[in-house]
């Protein structure tokens, strides 16, 4: 509300999450009508995700009148009253008045948490009750009398014991394999996948379940690198197992090539976000993608491990036995260091037209609008040069806050180098479990050491700052600081899950174990059926966090249930 006489006012705003951004024009507020004593008014909607800085200046002469920083709440109604306090000194006041208080948008999260905790409590109570013999027998008798007879026969013996044992030997083999398998790896993979499915479905439309606009981290930025990390861990265990069972390296290499090819093909033809632009054709085919990056990363890391792995992962008899999981593989480390040197050189030394050398910013209105078409610096330039703009991701997260207009692909060519580094660090975790098998204390100590080392490297690279470090944490760029930070988190998280699931056996890994054992099927399925009922339906209020959260949690839970059913039926889709 403008109570000042002519001229009118210009209202502009800048988001607190927008680093070194220009103010963006919101509205022109007309002057007051002195004859009618009616203030000039203008209505606008503003962002509530982050604090805003509002700037009011005169429409003539650009004289700044006031600047207000405030974090507005969702569905709140506010008035900014501009008036003259003293006509002699021309002092202007800007008062923010709350007309209608905002809603508490986090209540749906609390309610959902309580619901899931209630379900968990019921399941735990039921499991404890089923351990009591009279309760278990009564339940079995009520559900299926024949099952009760079979249970009694199995406990007391029956005339057909031999037939019962020989009729299906598979369960015995299955249980043997299950005991040998590290359930913590499947649990870790499943946890990453469940969070990934939830954020891909919308995350209840909360900003922290969306990808960060540029530098920094949200929950959504954690899961993909964790998935890459645990893929590397699985490579170490799987290749060692295949070679110990007598498979030749050529046979294993063919399997690696085939799996990589299928992953890349699925990513390009099945899970391609450019379908939203119309029927898929070469003109608008997105070449990079999540599965494509997984496929290529797997190819490089698995081939690198196959080249130097040994069928016998016994104790290394050489200098520094404490480094037996590192020193025998020094050529691998040299290869990874060369790759990282290439990333650093291309990122900071490659000349990019009309952009400063070594630019890591989002372009658009960032850096005070100096470099609007430099999104991603060298990484974006390489993709546009080699792939073409139409074959890249068309709606990068930087477009929302920084209003960048050119395509940028977070799964682009240059970032793939650091995803290889991420998978290689996961491979290191796998080697630790192999070299120190049956020594859980040693495994956990190594995980702690690696987590601390990665954390120290991250602190140095970022200067413990979101924006001011040498190399900021950035998921879009897959910066090396992002990789070391995510590896630090991954080592610590894997340590906790390994301790709970495989060492102490306090937790079975459920329910994350089940999607973790059918990860490719769940990932592709949740993408293909994203817009089909019951994973999505028409909502009464598209602005409601509660409805979005209910829909997204329902869809995610359904995929966990589907993976559980497949697990019970022993159906696993492997590539």
């Amino acid at each position: 509300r403008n109570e000042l006489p002519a001229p009118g006012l210009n209202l502009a705003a800048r988001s607190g999450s927008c680093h070194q951004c220009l103010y963006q024009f919101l509205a022109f507020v007309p002057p007051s009508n002195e004859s009618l004593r009616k203030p000039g008014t203008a209505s606008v909607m503003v962002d509530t995700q982050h604090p805003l800085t509002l700037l009011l200046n005169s429409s003539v002469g650009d004289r700044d009148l006031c600047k207000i920083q405030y974090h507005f709440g969702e569905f709140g109604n506010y008035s900014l009253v501009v008036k003259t306090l003293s006509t002699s000194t021309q002092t202007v006041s800007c008062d923010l008045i709350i007309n209608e208080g905002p809603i508490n948008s986090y209540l749906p999260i609390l309610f959902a948490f309580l619901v899931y905790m209630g379900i968990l409590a019921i399941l735990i109570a039921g499991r404890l009750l089923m351990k009591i013999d009279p309760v278990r027998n009564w339940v079995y008798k009520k559900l299926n009398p024949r099952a009760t007879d079979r249970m009694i026969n199995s406990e007391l013996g029956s005339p057909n014991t031999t037939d019962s044992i020989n009729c299906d030997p598979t369960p015995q083999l299955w249980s043997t394999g299950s005991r040998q398998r590290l359930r913590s790896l499947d649990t870790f993979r499943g946890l990453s996948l469940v969070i990934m499915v939830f954020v891909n479905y919308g995350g209840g439309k909360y900003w922290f379940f969306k990808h960060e606009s540029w530098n920094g981290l949200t929950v959504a930025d954690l899961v993909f690198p964790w998935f890459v990390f645990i893929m590397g861990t699985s490579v170490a265990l799987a290749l060692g197992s295949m070679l110990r069972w007598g498979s030749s390296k050529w046979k294993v290499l063919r399997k690696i090539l085939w799996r990589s090819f299928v992953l890349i093909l699925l990513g390009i033809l099945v899970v391609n976000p450019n379908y939203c632009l119309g029927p898929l054709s070469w003109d608008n085919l997105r070449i990079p993608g999540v599965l494509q990056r997984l496929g290529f990363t797997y190819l490089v890391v698995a081939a690198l491990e196959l080249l130097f792995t040994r069928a016998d992962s016994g104790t290394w008899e050489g200098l520094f036995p404490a480094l037996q999981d590192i020193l025998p593989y020094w050529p691998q480390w040299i290869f990874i260091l060369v790759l990282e040197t290439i990333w650093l050189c291309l990122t900071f030394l490659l000349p990019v037209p009309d952009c400063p050398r070594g630019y890591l910013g989002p372009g658009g209105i960032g850096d005070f609008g100096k470099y609007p078409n430099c999104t991603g610096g060298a990484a974006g330039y390489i993709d546009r040069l080699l792939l073409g703009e139409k074959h890249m991701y068309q709606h990068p997260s930087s477009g929302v806050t920084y209003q960048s207009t050119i395509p940028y692909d977070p799964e682009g060519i240059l970032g793939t180098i650091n995803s290889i580094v991420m998978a290689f660090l996961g491979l290191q975790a796998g080697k630790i479990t192999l070299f120190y098998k049956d020594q859980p204390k040693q495994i956990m100590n190594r995980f702690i050491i690696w987590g601390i080392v990665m954390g120290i490297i991250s602190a140095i690279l970022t200067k413990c700052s979101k924006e001011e470090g040498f190399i900021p944490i950035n998921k879009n760029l897959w910066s090396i600081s992002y990789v070391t930070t995510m590896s630090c988190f991954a080592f610590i998280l894997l340590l906790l899950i390994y301790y709970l699931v495989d060492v102490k056996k306090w937790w079975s890994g459920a329910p994350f174990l089940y999607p973790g054992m059918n990860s490719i099927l769940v990932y592709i399925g949740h993408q293909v059926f994203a817009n089909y009922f019951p994973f999505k339906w028409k909502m009464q209020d598209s602005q409601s966090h509660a409805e979005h959260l209910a829909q997204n949690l329902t869809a995610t839970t359904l995929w966990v249930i589907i993976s559980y059913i497949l697990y019970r039926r022993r159906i696993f889709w492997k590539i």
Side-chain angles (χ1 to χ4, degrees):
R1 286 186 357 219
N2 180 15
E3 297 182 6
L4 303 181
L9 303 175
N10 287 329
L11 175 65
R14 183 174 65 190
S15 171
S17 67
C18 199
H19 181 61
Q20 294 184 341
C21 286
L22 297 170
Y23 280 94
Q24 297 302 297
F25 175 78
L26 288 182
F28 170 75
V29 189
S32 65
N33 190 326
E34 293 184 352
S35 60
L36 298 176
R37 294 186 178 180
K38 184 178 180 181
T41 60
S43 298
V44 294
M45 284 196 298
V46 295
D47 177 37
T48 63
Q49 296 183 9
H50 305 282
L52 281 184
T53 301
L54 298 178
L55 178 65
L56 268 172
N57 54 30
S58 174
S59 60
V60 176
D62 284 338
R63 171 174 165 250
D64 291 348
L65 298 179
C66 60
K67 185 185 292 185
I68 297 175
Q69 186 174 17
Y70 192 78
H71 195 165
F72 295 93
E74 289 188 31
F75 300 106
N77 187 289
Y78 305 84
S79 290
L80 180 59
V81 181
V82 185
K83 59 186 177 182
T84 303
L85 286 179
S86 172
T87 55
S88 59
T89 60
Q90 295 294 314
T91 304
V92 175
S93 73
C94 300
D95 299 319
L96 193 65
I97 300 171
I98 302 176
N99 303 321
E100 184 178 344
I103 65 169
N104 188 338
S105 58
Y106 301 111
L107 284 178
I109 294 181
L110 176 61
F111 181 76
F113 175 77
L114 294 176
V115 169
Y116 276 90
M117 287 299 100
I119 294 172
L120 179 62
I122 292 172
L123 292 175
I124 292 175
R127 193 161 192 173
L128 292 175
L129 286 173
M130 288 296 287
K131 290 183 178 181
I132 303 173
D133 288 341
V135 175
R136 185 174 68 249
N137 295 338
W138 181 82
V139 171
Y140 284 159
K141 186 175 181 180
K142 289 294 182 182
L143 291 177
N144 191 343
R146 292 185 179 181
T148 307
D149 294 338
R150 285 197 297 269
M151 182 185 69
I152 294 172
N153 288 335
S154 65
E155 291 180 353
L156 302 180
S158 71
N160 297 323
T161 303
T162 305
D163 295 338
S164 301
I165 293 174
N166 293 333
C167 66
D168 187 9
T170 309
Q172 186 177 358
L173 296 175
W174 173 256
S175 62
T176 304
S178 301
R179 285 195 296 270
Q180 294 173 348
R181 189 182 182 99
L182 279 176
R183 297 171 71 92
S184 55
L185 302 187
D186 293 316
T187 304
F188 185 101
R189 186 188 301 109
L191 174 63
S192 305
L193 184 59
V194 167
I195 300 174
M196 187 185 295
V197 170
F198 175 65
V199 299
N200 285 349
Y201 276 149
K205 298 300 180 184
Y206 289 99
W207 67 269
F208 43 82
F209 290 134
K210 298 178 182 178
H211 291 294
E212 184 64 78
S213 294
W214 201 247
N215 294 334
L217 287 175
T218 64
V219 175
D221 297 320
L222 304 177
V223 289
F224 185 31
W226 285 353
F227 202 83
V228 173
F229 180 91
I230 206 66
M231 179 182 72
T233 307
S234 301
V235 164
L237 301 178
L239 292 189
S241 176
M242 283 190 284
L243 292 176
R244 283 195 299 273
W245 280 97
S247 297
S248 68
K249 286 195 173 184
W250 284 110
K251 183 179 179 180
V252 175
L253 180 61
R254 287 196 298 270
K255 185 177 180 65
I256 291 170
L257 291 171
W258 172 250
R259 191 180 192 200
S260 303
F261 171 75
V262 172
L263 282 172
I264 293 171
L265 197 65
L266 287 172
I268 293 176
L269 299 182
V270 180
V271 187
N272 199 308
N274 283 8
Y275 273 121
C276 64
L277 303 177
L280 201 62
S281 69
W282 179 249
D283 293 336
N284 59 10
L285 183 75
R286 183 195 179 197
I287 297 175
V290 170
L291 289 180
Q292 295 92 306
R293 175 167 284 190
L294 283 174
F296 187 77
T297 300
Y298 171 78
L299 173 63
V300 174
V301 173
L304 186 65
E305 175 66 6
L306 181 65
L307 190 61
F308 296 99
T309 193
R310 299 173 297 169
D312 179 20
S313 57
T315 304
W316 182 60
E317 297 179 357
L319 297 175
F320 309 109
L323 301 177
Q324 62 174 315
D325 55 329
I326 299 176
L327 292 182
Y329 300 96
W330 61 266
Q332 293 180 339
W333 284 96
I334 292 177
F335 178 81
I336 292 299
L337 290 174
V338 169
L339 272 185
E340 191 53 42
T341 303
I342 292 172
W343 183 86
L344 290 169
C345 290
L346 288 174
T347 300
F348 291 102
L349 300 179
L350 180 70
V352 179
D354 303 319
C355 302
R357 189 165 295 187
Y359 182 71
L360 299 175
I365 63 174
D367 301 294
F368 305 111
K370 295 178 182 177
Y371 319 110
N373 296 319
C374 294
T375 303
Y381 174 67
I382 290 172
D383 289 341
R384 291 190 294 273
L385 185 67
L386 299 181
L387 303 176
E389 291 190 0
K390 291 186 178 180
H391 300 294
M392 298 166 58
Y393 190 55
Q394 301 297 308
H395 306 288
S397 58
S398 59
V400 178
T401 300
Y402 290 94
Q403 299 181 22
S404 57
T405 56
I406 60 174
Y408 178 82
D409 208 307
E411 277 77 52
I413 296 171
L414 196 56
T416 304
I417 291 177
N418 280 341
S419 72
I420 292 171
V421 176
M422 184 81 195
F424 183 76
L425 291 170
L427 184 77
Q428 184 61 36
K431 289 176 181 176
I432 290 170
T433 59
L434 285 175
F435 278 103
Y436 298 99
K437 58 184 177 182
D438 302 325
Q439 301 179 61
K441 188 175 180 180
Q442 287 288 345
I443 291 174
M444 291 187 291
N445 287 339
R446 302 289 286 189
F447 284 173
I448 291 174
I449 293 170
W450 274 99
I452 292 173
V453 170
M454 291 295 108
I456 292 172
I457 294 173
S458 297
I460 294 171
L461 291 175
T462 63
K463 298 182 182 178
C464 298
S465 167
K466 179 180 177 181
E467 303 286 354
E468 305 301 330
F470 299 111
I471 303 178
I473 296 173
N474 190 297
K475 192 264 180 189
N476 283 286
L477 296 172
W478 269 71
S479 62
I480 185 60
S481 57
Y482 175 67
V483 168
T484 54
T485 303
M486 292 300 97
S487 298
C488 169
F489 294 166
F491 274 112
I492 300 303
L493 181 61
L494 183 57
L495 161 68
L496 294 174
I497 295 177
Y498 173 73
Y499 180 75
L500 293 173
V501 174
D502 287 320
V503 178
K504 291 296 183 179
K505 302 188 186 303
W506 290 340
W507 179 29
S508 67
F512 304 113
L513 174 75
Y514 313 125
M517 296 187 72
N518 247 322
S519 55
I520 296 298
L521 184 146
V522 171
Y523 179 80
I524 294 178
H526 100 274
Q527 292 276 15
V528 171
F529 296 101
N531 294 316
Y532 291 86
F533 183 83
F535 305 103
K536 191 174 184 179
W537 59 84
K538 186 177 179 180
M539 291 182 287
Q540 297 294 323
D541 182 4
S542 62
Q543 297 296 315
S544 167
H545 277 299
E547 286 198 51
H548 278 286
L549 188 64
Q551 186 179 89
N552 302 152
L553 285 175
T554 299
T556 305
T557 303
L558 283 173
W559 282 111
V560 173
I561 293 172
I562 290 170
S563 63
Y564 172 72
I565 294 171
L566 294 175
Y567 172 85
R568 296 292 296 177
R569 294 179 176 272
R570 303 170 196 166
I571 300 172
F572 304 99
W573 186 26
K574 303 292 182 183
I575 296 175

